[in-house]
Amino acid sequence: QHEVGKPLRNCYSLPGLDFTYGMYIHKRDGGVAEAIGHWDAVKPRNIKRIMPRDFLTMNRGAVDAGCTTAREFGLYYKFMDIRCKDENRFLTGWVSKIPAGMTFGRPARPSTPIYDIIQHRYKEMWMEHQRARTIVQKIEKKKLDQVRGNRTTYLRTHPPPAKEESFWHPARFEKV
């Protein structure tokens, strides 16, 4: 029967104190002390990867050796097995090849002359540049302010040449 005056229970009862939630790992289940004291270091494994054949180098070598038929090429490939080089391997001694003035392959920035900073030389250069720019803008504005001539103003200033009167008339227009 239902309990009177209490809501219905719609959950399960929890397991006892001896129950372990999740997976129990014997090796790592020692708490904080074991985690700090014993780190599990992964030892590097030397896996020898088989690289694909370098057919360009083998073909060059076969031609230099005097191979001409497919059978000779096959025998050359069988006895002279040349593999591609691994591009992802770490290069040793690459740090010594970088020049002293380079940082990550880019040349170092030139030092800022402190004398120019003290004398406000950069401010003066900027002000001169702004003045020159303002002058150029005024000249361009004057050019735009001028009235642009159209055909009417051109014909007023340059009248067309007068037509010379022709004294010749067709015979049918003359009175006989």
Side-chain angles (χ1 to χ4, degrees), residues 96-107:
S96 61
K97 294 178 184 176
I98 296 175
M102 299 284 272
T103 305
F104 296 108
R106 299 183 66 183

Side-chain angles (χ1 to χ4, degrees), residues 145-157:
D145 287 343
Q146 295 175 353
V147 178
R148 185 175 169 199
N150 54 13
R151 183 170 172 79
T152 307
T153 56
Y154 179 77
L155 289 175
R156 281 184 194 150
T157 55

Side-chain angles (χ1 to χ4, degrees), residues 117-129:
I117 293 174
I118 293 172
Q119 288 188 333
H120 302 289
R121 179 77 184 127
Y122 294 108
K123 183 191 97 173
E124 296 298 326
M125 287 170 49
W126 182 81
M127 292 295 287
E128 288 174 16
H129 178 71

Side-chain angles (χ1 to χ4, degrees), residues 6 12-13 30 46-47 64 67 80 84 91-92 94 97 101-102 117 126 134 138 157 159 167 173:
K6 292 185 180 179
Y12 300 104
S13 59
N46 290 335
I47 300 172
D64 290 342
C67 298
M80 300 293 289
C84 292
L91 300 174
T92 56
W94 64 273
K97 294 178 184 176
M102 299 284 272
I117 293 174
W126 182 81
T134 306
K138 285 181 182 178
T157 55
F167 295 107
F173 291 119

Side-chain angles (χ1 to χ4, degrees), residues 47 49 51-52 83-91:
I47 300 172
R49 227 173 45 170
M51 298 300 292
R83 300 286 175 169
C84 292
K85 293 188 170 98
D86 189 9
E87 291 108 13
N88 297 332
R89 66 179 173 206
F90 294 106
L91 300 174

